[in-house]
Structures are given as C-alpha cells and as structure tokens.
Amino acid sequence: MAAVPQEEQQREGRGASAQGRERNRPGASPDDKDLWLFTCIKHISGPLDRPREVNGTDYYVGYEGEELAEYRKFYGRVILRYHKGKGQQGSIRWAEGLLDKIHVVKVLSDAYAGDEFPGYDCVSLSYAQLKAIWDKDKSSWKSTLSRQQGVYVITDTATGNLYVGSATGRNGIYQRWQDYIRDGHGNDTRLIAIVEQYGLEYVQTHFRYTLLEHYDFTVSKDVVLTRESYWKEALDTRKHGYNDN
C-alpha cells in the first residue's frame, strides 16, 4: 500500500476565526479526493512573520494561530468529507460559508497511526504520521528502517523549501528520524533556526519526511554521503532550500 498522500487546508474567518489543517483520509481510494483527516484547529491571531523574496514578495501566505486545545482529543480520529471545487486550489478559505459544507463521515476509536510498512519506495510521512508510528513503536517500520541507511528529503509544505539529509549511523533511518520527532531539527543548523524562530509547532504542522534512497549496511557510508550530495545538487537545496553545506 502506498503512503498516505497529504494536502493542507487553512481556513481564515472574521472575528473569532479558526485555522484548521486536514489531509486525505488514510486508506481512502486514490480517486476519492473529498475525504480528509482532521489533524489540527487554531484561532487566528494575525499574519505570520514569514520570509520574503528579494523583491519583497511573500514566499507563501500564512497566519499565526493559537491551538484550540479542547479539540485535541479529535486529532487524527475524525474523517471528514469536503469537496474542493474549481478555483479552490489555494490554501486560504473564509470560514463563513465553508463549515456547513464539511461533513463528519466517521470518528475513529483511536488516532490513525499509519499502516504496516508499505515498502521503501512508498515512505512519505507528515510529522504527525511519523510521530504516531514511532510512539506506537510499530514493529514493521522499526525493524525495516533500522536495517537501512538512506538519503531522505524533508519538505516544508508551507514554503516549498527542501532539506536533504542522510542516515548512516546505528539503527539507520529509524534512529535519524527519531531525532526529528524529539526536537524537530535533528541538530541541523538551518532547521534549528526554524524551530527557534517559529517553534516546534511549525515543524509539527508543515514538515513532511520522504525516503529517496536506501542501502543496507554492507554499502560504504561514503556511497550514501555521495548520493546525499547528488540530491542536494539536483534539488538545489543549498541555494533554494535548508541545506547549508
């Protein structure tokens, strides 16, 4: 089974407005684009202090928000149906006229924590999915990723910026990604700066982790690092992403 696709939606209302984040429902048919998983809701406090192009243009549109903690018990459990019509491909929605178009399909007894390991070529997870899998110590993921070195890319879905990294240490990919769950940055310089400026919550909301290549431990570490360098160059992440070396 392929990894669950993700799409982000933000909603801005007037007055007591809220910002919600939803993504396609786990296990849904790839052809059913109207099913979503409820993962977060916030009260909007103002525009987000965000990076700009040299000409002053925003990289993206975003808002600062305060999480509505009373809804946390529903995160990852509520499956919704909402149809995005033509001309609604942007990430910003007014709450007025939208909420009555969102319908609850099902409330899961427990938060979605990902399926069994789908294969190395299908590993692409949001922070929430990654943390749920690690927190539940799902054996198929742990045993498989612990045996492999690899090259991966982290996507900031708010800006489109990428970070390419590698996992060559003990317990391979599993251990490296566990570092990101713990502090959001894994001791990577540019990611540390993001967490310090925007908080761990930014990472939890916007970061996605995708495996690009994998190797068993009979392969030299130098081979993995060479492939990491290749992907940094190919994706231009030193100049237009979060890599600084």
Side-chain angles (χ1 to χ4, degrees):
M1 181 178 293
V4 180
Q6 174 177 342
E7 187 169 347
E8 179 175 312
Q9 178 186 22
Q10 294 176 318
R11 291 182 278 110
E12 179 191 6
R14 299 179 178 86
S17 55
Q19 176 188 42
R21 181 172 178 270
E22 306 160 1
R23 55 179 169 76
N24 293 90
R25 178 180 68 84
S29 166
D31 296 326
D32 193 340
K33 304 297 184 182
D34 295 342
L35 292 179
W36 305 76
L37 183 68
F38 175 67
T39 60
C40 186
I41 187 167
K42 300 178 182 179
H43 176 86
I44 293 175
S45 57
L48 185 66
D49 181 15
R50 51 196 184 273
R52 296 175 181 271
E53 300 276 8
V54 175
N55 63 7
T57 303
D58 289 338
Y59 275 122
Y60 65 98
V61 178
Y63 297 88
E64 293 180 343
E66 180 180 352
E67 184 181 3
L68 303 180
E70 62 267 33
Y71 292 98
R72 286 179 182 171
K73 61 184 178 181
F74 297 111
Y75 290 179
R77 296 179 52 214
V78 180
I79 299 171
L80 306 170
R81 180 173 292 280
Y82 169 68
H83 178 69
K84 291 176 67 175
K86 292 183 177 179
Q88 295 184 338
Q89 299 307 308
S91 60
I92 304 302
R93 299 284 187 278
W94 290 105
E96 289 183 2
L98 175 65
L99 296 181
D100 60 351
K101 298 178 182 178
I102 298 176
H103 304 284
V104 175
V105 175
K106 185 177 181 180
V107 179
L108 303 175
S109 59
D110 198 5
Y112 171 67
D115 297 305
E116 293 305 300
F117 187 73
Y120 293 110
D121 295 334
C122 301
V123 178
S124 184
L125 303 166
S126 68
Y127 181 96
Q129 290 176 298
L130 190 65
K131 188 174 189 303
I133 289 170
W134 262 245
D135 285 350
K136 295 196 173 184
D137 200 24
K138 295 180 77 68
S139 60
S140 65
W141 287 81
K142 183 175 182 179
S143 63
T144 306
L145 293 181
S146 294
R147 297 196 301 264
Q148 295 285 306
Q149 307 177 85
V151 180
Y152 56 86
V153 61
I154 300 175
T155 303
D156 182 337
T157 61
T159 66
N161 285 332
L162 305 175
Y163 173 87
V164 172
S166 63
T168 58
R170 184 179 180 183
N171 293 324
I173 299 162
Y174 191 89
Q175 180 62 52
R176 187 69 185 107
W177 283 6
Q178 192 172 46
D179 295 339
Y180 292 119
I181 295 172
R182 184 184 67 253
D183 55 27
H185 56 69
N187 207 34
D188 297 317
T189 304
R190 296 281 295 280
L191 301 187
I192 290 174
I194 290 173
V195 173
E196 289 179 345
Q197 183 173 2
Y198 299 112
L200 179 59
E201 184 179 343
Y202 181 91
V203 171
Q204 295 170 336
T205 301
H206 297 296
F207 277 26
R208 187 171 190 85
Y209 306 82
T210 302
L211 184 61
L212 295 175
E213 298 184 4
H214 64 93
Y215 305 89
D216 63 38
F217 280 96
T218 63
V219 175
S220 168
K221 175 180 177 180
D222 290 340
V223 171
V224 181
L225 296 179
T226 297
R227 294 302 296 168
E228 176 189 20
S229 182
Y230 163 80
W231 281 107
K232 289 177 180 179
E233 186 70 22
L235 299 176
D236 203 15
T237 57
R238 294 184 180 95
K239 183 177 181 181
H240 297 295
Y242 292 145
N243 288 106
D244 59 358
N245 59 45

